[in-house]
Amino acid sequence: MDTIKFFKVLVMVFAILSLIAACSGAEEPNIASQERENNPAGDVPSEMDKVQELNLVDYSEIPTMDSAVAGDVAAFNMLINVNEGLYRLNQENTAEPAIAEGEPEVSDDGLVYTFKLRNANWSDGTPVTAHDFVFAWQRAIDPGTGSPYGPYMMAGTIKNAEAIAAGEMDKEELGIEAQDEKTLVVTLERPVPYFLSLMAFPTFFPQQEEFVTEKGDDYASNSENILYNGPFIFSDWDGTGLKWSLEKNPEYWDEKTVKLDKINFDVVKESATEIKLYSSGEKDRALLTGELAKQHADDPDLIKGKDPAVSYIKFNQERNGERTVLANENIRKAIAKAFNKQELVDGIMADGSLPANYIVPADFTFGENKEDFRAVNGDMLEYDTKEAKKLWEQGLDEEGINELTLELLGDDIGVVMDMNEYLKDQLEKNLPGLTVEIKNVPFNVRLELDEAQDYELQGAAWGPDYQDPMTFLDLFVTDSPQNRMSYSNERLDALIEAAKGELALDAAARWDSMAQAEKILIEEDAAIAPIHQFGIMALQKPYVKGIVRHPFGGQFGYKWAYISGKE
C-alpha cells in the first residue's frame, strides 16, 4: 500500500504540530475540570450568555470531510464535532459509548465485540444503523477508496483487513457484520486492549450508503453534500474556502448537552495576524509559539499544557542501498547526548515544551495501578557532553575517520529552521570534527525524501492515534512502514509482537514488554534521538468555557463548550 499517505504525514511533524496543533495537552481540559471541581454534579453554570457563539481561527484549509479518506488534523478537528462513531472521547479523554448504547458484549477470547446501537439520527432525520458502520468500514479498507487511515488502523486489528487492503480478499470479508438494524458485531484479528479507544477515531465513523452513493464524486465536497450525526452540522463550506461554521445539530441524540449555537472559523496562517484578531476581540483564542509565547508569558488570558507528541532525530543507517556511518551505535549515541534539550525548549520553543529523553510521552498512558508509563523507564539518553565526546571518539575510531559531515533534513518553517540551527551549533561545538549541513525543504519534499530513505539525519515527530504506548513503539519494528531508516532489532520486534499477541490480555506483562522495547529503542540502540515533548500556549478569552483538547483523532471537542460572562 502507499504508506506515505498514512504515515501521520499531515499530523505530527515539527511544522504541523507547531502551526496546526494549536493548543493541547493535559492542562487545557482542566478549564472544564476546574468548573466541575466547584460544581461536582458537572452541570453547566446557569449564568450562560444568551448569545452562544464562538469565533475561532483554524490554520489550514480542509482537504476533505469524507471520514473514509481524511488523513489530516484540519479534517479530524471538524469531523469529531459533526460526526460520531461507536465511541467518543469525553471531557476526561476517556473513550465512552456514543452511538453505542452502552458497553459491548465481548467474547471470552477477546476477539468478538457485539455492540447495541442507541436511537440516533442523521441530520436528515433518518436513523443511524449498524449497516452504516459496515458500509463505512468496508469503504475505508477497500483499496479502491485510497483511504490513508483505513489500512493503517484496521490491518492486524479487524479480521481480514490486511488481506483486503492488499487486494487479496473482498471487502465483504472484513470482520464487521450488521446482525440487525441496531446490532453490530466486530471480529478482531487478535485481542486488542485499546480497541474501544480506536472506536473514537474518525476512520471508524459511520456513513449512510444511500446518501454516499447518490452523491458520488460530490460526496463531502462541500457542507451541503454531507450527512451529520454529531453535535454540530457543517455550514458555509464550499470545499476550498477559508471560512466555515459549525451550527448546533437539532437531530443529535445528546442535543441537550450542546450549548453553543454556532462556531465561526477563519483560516489565518500568520501568527501575528491571529494575535491582532484576538486583541481586537474578533477571535476568542490564539496560538502562541516562539517569540509570541515569550511576549505573552504573563498574560492573564494564558492557558498552557502538554501535548502527547514527541519530536526526535531519525538516524538513517542505509542510504541508496549503502550503509551509512549512522549504523554505528556509538556515533548515534554521541549525537543523541550532545545537545542541550532544556535550553532548546526554553529558548526556541518557549511554549511549555519539555525535554524528551523518551519516545512514549509523559501524562499520556497509565497502567492498572494508575502509574504513568513514563515512570517505568524514566529518562534515557540524557544530555551529557563528556559522555557524548567519549562515544564520539570511539565511533570515529571504529569507522577509521577523524571527521564527519552529516546532512540534517527538516521543514522550511520558521521554528523548525531555528531548531535546526540550534542543533547544528550544539552538535558541532560538542562533537569535534563534526560538520552539520542543514537542508530545509517544503513539507511534501521532506516526505518524499523520507519515503525514498534519501537523507542522513532528519527532524521528525509523532503524535498518537490511540491511547496506548503501542502507537509510538510499533513504529520502529523492522517491517514498519514508518521505519524508514533501516533500523532492526530482533529483541524489540519480539517484545512488540508479544505485546500485540500472547500478552494482549495480560496487562502487567504487556506493559513490561512495551517498557523493555522502549529501553532497547532509546537507551540501548539509540535508534532515534528524542528532542522534546510538545507543549502548548494559547490566549483564550475568559468567557470561553469547556473546550476540551483531545490527545488523538480530532484535537478540539466543542460538544461541552459554552460562553459565560461576555455579555
Side-chain angles (χ1 to χ4, degrees):
M1 67 188 71
D2 186 3
T3 56
I4 192 67
K5 291 182 180 178
F6 62 87
F7 177 34
K8 294 278 290 181
V9 295
L10 297 174
V11 185
M12 296 296 175
V13 293
F14 289 143
I16 302 303
L17 277 167
S18 299
L19 300 178
I20 291 182
C23 299
S24 58
E27 293 183 33
E28 185 178 348
N30 285 346
I31 296 170
S33 299
Q34 288 165 4
E35 288 159 4
R36 288 194 297 277
E37 287 175 9
N38 298 323
N39 182 18
D43 297 329
V44 174
S46 58
E47 59 274 12
M48 287 176 50
D49 289 4
K50 292 181 180 179
V51 177
Q52 289 294 310
E53 190 164 324
L54 189 59
N55 296 295
L56 299 175
V57 164
D58 213 324
Y59 304 95
S60 72
E61 299 88 342
I62 302 172
T64 181
M65 282 293 289
D66 183 344
S67 59
V69 299
D72 61 277
V73 172
F76 290 157
N77 276 343
M78 296 302 111
L79 280 167
I80 66 166
N81 287 289
V82 301
N83 286 103
E84 194 166 73
L86 294 169
Y87 275 60
R88 77 154 48 242
L89 295 185
N90 63 19
Q91 291 160 288
E92 285 75 33
N93 283 319
T94 299
E96 67 178 10
I99 300 301
E101 190 171 34
E103 300 294 337
E105 177 184 325
V106 185
S107 63
D108 291 340
D109 60 6
L111 294 179
V112 181
Y113 286 69
T114 302
F115 296 90
K116 292 293 184 179
L117 307 189
R118 70 172 71 249
N119 292 323
N121 288 341
W122 291 102
S123 49
D124 65 354
T126 58
V128 178
T129 70
H131 180 76
D132 296 335
F133 285 91
V134 174
F135 170 74
W137 292 22
Q138 289 181 352
R139 185 166 175 262
I141 198 63
D142 185 348
T145 302
S147 171
Y149 266 85
Y152 175 62
M153 299 296 276
M154 294 187 194
T157 298
I158 310 299
K159 185 177 179 180
N160 297 331
E162 190 167 359
I164 296 169
E168 298 169 357
M169 295 182 73
D170 293 334
K171 63 183 180 181
E172 287 77 13
E173 298 298 314
L174 187 67
I176 182 171
E177 175 190 359
Q179 282 192 347
D180 56 47
E181 292 292 287
K182 294 297 181 180
T183 306
L184 183 70
V185 180
V186 179
T187 304
L188 306 187
E189 199 71 56
R190 53 188 174 185
V192 179
Y194 48 85
F195 176 66
L196 293 180
S197 176
L198 288 178
M199 294 300 94
F201 198 84
T203 304
F204 296 99
F205 287 178
Q207 294 181 340
Q208 191 188 86
E209 182 175 14
E210 182 179 353
F211 185 87
V212 174
T213 302
E214 177 188 339
K215 296 298 182 180
D217 291 341
D218 290 333
Y219 175 67
S221 60
N222 56 54
S223 55
E224 300 302 316
N225 286 317
I226 311 172
L227 279 184
Y228 311 96
N229 73 329
F232 299 92
I233 60 174
F234 219 27
S235 63
D236 304 319
W237 181 63
D238 65 6
T240 59
L242 301 179
K243 292 176 178 289
W244 61 82
S245 298
L246 300 183
E247 298 179 3
K248 186 174 180 179
N249 180 8
E251 291 288 342
Y252 181 48
W253 69 268
D254 197 21
E255 182 263 348
K256 291 182 179 179
T257 297
V258 183
K259 305 305 177 186
L260 289 175
D261 292 318
K262 191 173 186 180
I263 310 174
N264 302 306
F265 289 90
D266 290 277
V267 173
V268 177
K269 299 184 180 183
E270 296 295 329
S271 297
T273 302
E274 182 183 0
I275 296 297
K276 289 179 181 178
L277 292 171
Y278 181 86
S279 299
S280 68
E282 296 176 66
K283 293 297 175 184
D284 297 321
R285 189 176 174 122
L287 168 67
L288 297 173
T289 57
E291 285 302 316
L292 288 172
K294 294 176 185 178
Q295 292 172 19
H296 293 272
D298 297 322
D299 195 300
D301 290 356
L302 187 72
I303 58 173
K304 57 183 180 180
K306 299 185 189 75
D307 190 295
V310 176
S311 73
Y312 51 91
I313 297 173
K314 294 179 68 171
F315 295 121
N316 189 12
Q317 299 187 33
E318 185 177 290
R319 187 178 192 182
N320 299 324
E322 299 291 332
R323 175 189 182 274
T324 75
V325 70
L326 295 170
N328 186 294
E329 180 182 303
N330 285 324
I331 286 179
R332 297 196 304 271
K333 288 182 176 178
I335 293 172
K337 297 173 77 69
F339 56 95
N340 189 326
K341 302 174 187 180
Q342 187 67 58
E343 190 174 84
L344 185 151
V345 298
D346 290 343
I348 304 297
M349 304 305 293
D351 61 358
S353 293
L354 302 173
N357 299 302
Y358 46 76
I359 185 61
V360 179
D363 295 329
F364 172 59
T365 51
F366 301 85
E368 289 185 316
N369 61 356
K370 306 302 180 183
E371 181 183 44
D372 191 336
F373 183 86
R374 196 61 273 121
V376 181
N377 286 333
D379 288 328
M380 299 169 284
L381 282 186
E382 296 179 81
Y383 173 58
D384 185 335
T385 56
K386 183 177 180 180
E387 179 67 13
K389 288 177 182 177
K390 178 182 176 181
L391 292 165
W392 180 250
E393 291 170 0
Q394 291 175 353
L396 292 183
D397 185 62
E398 289 164 356
E399 296 297 317
I401 56 179
N402 296 316
E403 57 185 30
L404 179 61
T405 298
L406 291 172
E407 175 189 275
L408 173 58
L409 176 66
D411 297 303
D412 60 350
I413 303 296
V415 68
V416 180
M417 294 190 289
D418 291 344
M419 184 181 296
N420 285 348
E421 289 292 343
Y422 177 82
L423 291 171
K424 170 182 170 68
D425 177 72
Q426 285 274 292
L427 296 176
E428 291 181 347
K429 179 175 68 176
N430 294 325
L431 301 176
L434 175 61
T435 299
V436 176
E437 296 179 347
I438 296 174
K439 183 177 182 178
N440 293 318
V441 298
F443 177 56
N444 62 326
V445 175
R446 182 176 68 79
L447 295 179
E448 291 171 359
L449 293 171
D450 180 83
E451 184 178 27
Q453 207 169 311
D454 187 11
Y455 68 92
E456 291 176 325
L457 305 173
Q458 180 186 170
W462 194 264
D465 289 318
Y466 48 88
Q467 206 147 13
D468 190 83
M470 191 60 73
T471 190
F472 290 90
L473 295 172
D474 69 356
L475 304 175
F476 303 102
V477 297
T478 300
D479 60 354
S480 168
Q482 286 78 35
N483 181 359
R484 295 191 178 95
M485 51 189 189
S486 294
Y487 168 68
S488 179
N489 185 304
E490 291 182 358
R491 289 167 53 225
L492 180 141
D493 291 351
L495 287 164
I496 294 300
E497 181 59 29
K500 287 184 170 182
E502 64 196 64
L503 302 179
L505 300 180
D506 185 338
R510 179 176 180 272
W511 204 250
D512 181 64
S513 184
M514 292 190 291
Q516 290 182 55
E518 186 192 40
K519 198 173 187 69
I520 291 171
L521 177 74
I522 305 298
E523 186 170 82
E524 294 185 21
D525 290 350
I528 58 173
I531 302 174
H532 78 291
Q533 179 175 341
F534 285 86
I536 62 93
M537 278 190 179
L539 298 177
Q540 181 170 292
K541 299 295 185 182
Y543 51 75
V544 177
K545 312 290 185 181
I547 295 177
V548 176
R549 166 62 168 100
H550 298 308
F552 59 87
Q555 293 173 313
F556 304 110
Y558 304 114
K559 174 176 176 175
W560 306 275
Y562 60 97
I563 304 297
S564 178
K566 181 179 181 179
E567 296 175 348

